[in-house]
Amino acid sequence: MAVDSNWNELLTKHGAESSVRFTTDEMDGMRDRGAVFSHNHPNGSSFSLDDIKFARSINAAEIRATTRDGTTFRMRPGADGWPTIEPTGALHDESLEGRYFEHHAETLGDYRAAIKRGDMTVDEANKRHYDEVWRKVAADDPRHLVYTREAPDA
């Protein structure tokens, strides 16, 4: 579902189990309208890289993903707007993809070690992985990304 800055509905759409496809007209109808795009993540994880690329492509005011337990993940552009997405090819890639893949690999290694030690289950790692990655990516670039995780009320 997407709403504009006045909470007028821009689009409601049902997708497949793990994805939603949009037509060019649907994308154009959300682009540069201050859209807040909200969707579900029944697997319990935070955003995929494609989710954030989508939000940037329509210049969304915010993207949200809510899990079955009511946890809501939120990402919005920082004061300088959405970051550059594409890799730069530099040794230390400052693009969104560069930082994402750097933290993804680091977190994956940490979680694999924790699973091997018995400190974390595979299910816990799957649910926590992307949250950890996006917290690190946003912390690297607070002028471009603001990320939050909101747990449901107890």
Side-chain angles (χ1 to χ4, degrees), residues 10-129:
L10 297 173
L11 178 74
T12 297
K13 188 166 187 170
H14 298 278
E17 184 177 331
S18 62
S19 66
V20 179
R21 297 203 183 274
F22 297 97
T23 66
T24 301
D25 287 344
E26 290 168 336
M27 296 278 290
D28 289 344
M30 292 183 281
R31 186 171 287 112
D32 296 323
R33 305 260 319 261
V36 174
F37 183 80
S38 186
H39 64 295
N40 68 333
H41 274 199
N43 66 357
S45 71
S46 184
F47 303 110
S48 68
L49 180 58
D50 285 340
D51 285 334
I52 303 306
K53 285 180 170 183
F54 170 77
R56 185 185 185 278
S57 74
I58 64 168
N59 196 26
E62 181 174 286
I63 185 167
R64 300 175 183 177
T66 301
T67 66
R68 286 186 177 149
D69 73 1
T71 299
T72 299
F73 300 98
R74 300 169 66 173
M75 183 81 80
R76 63 182 172 83
D80 291 346
W82 290 102
T84 301
I85 297 278
E86 293 76 24
T88 63
L91 183 59
H92 184 69
D93 191 345
E94 293 295 325
S95 70
L96 178 67
E97 275 194 5
R99 288 190 312 274
Y100 170 85
F101 285 119
E102 176 185 338
H103 291 303
H104 172 70
E106 173 190 317
T107 303
L108 192 60
D110 291 347
Y111 282 16
R112 282 182 177 159
I115 291 166
K116 195 171 191 173
R117 288 190 310 270
D119 296 340
M120 180 183 286
T121 67
V122 171
D123 188 50
E124 289 171 325
N126 288 336
K127 288 181 181 175
R128 292 173 47 189
H129 176 83

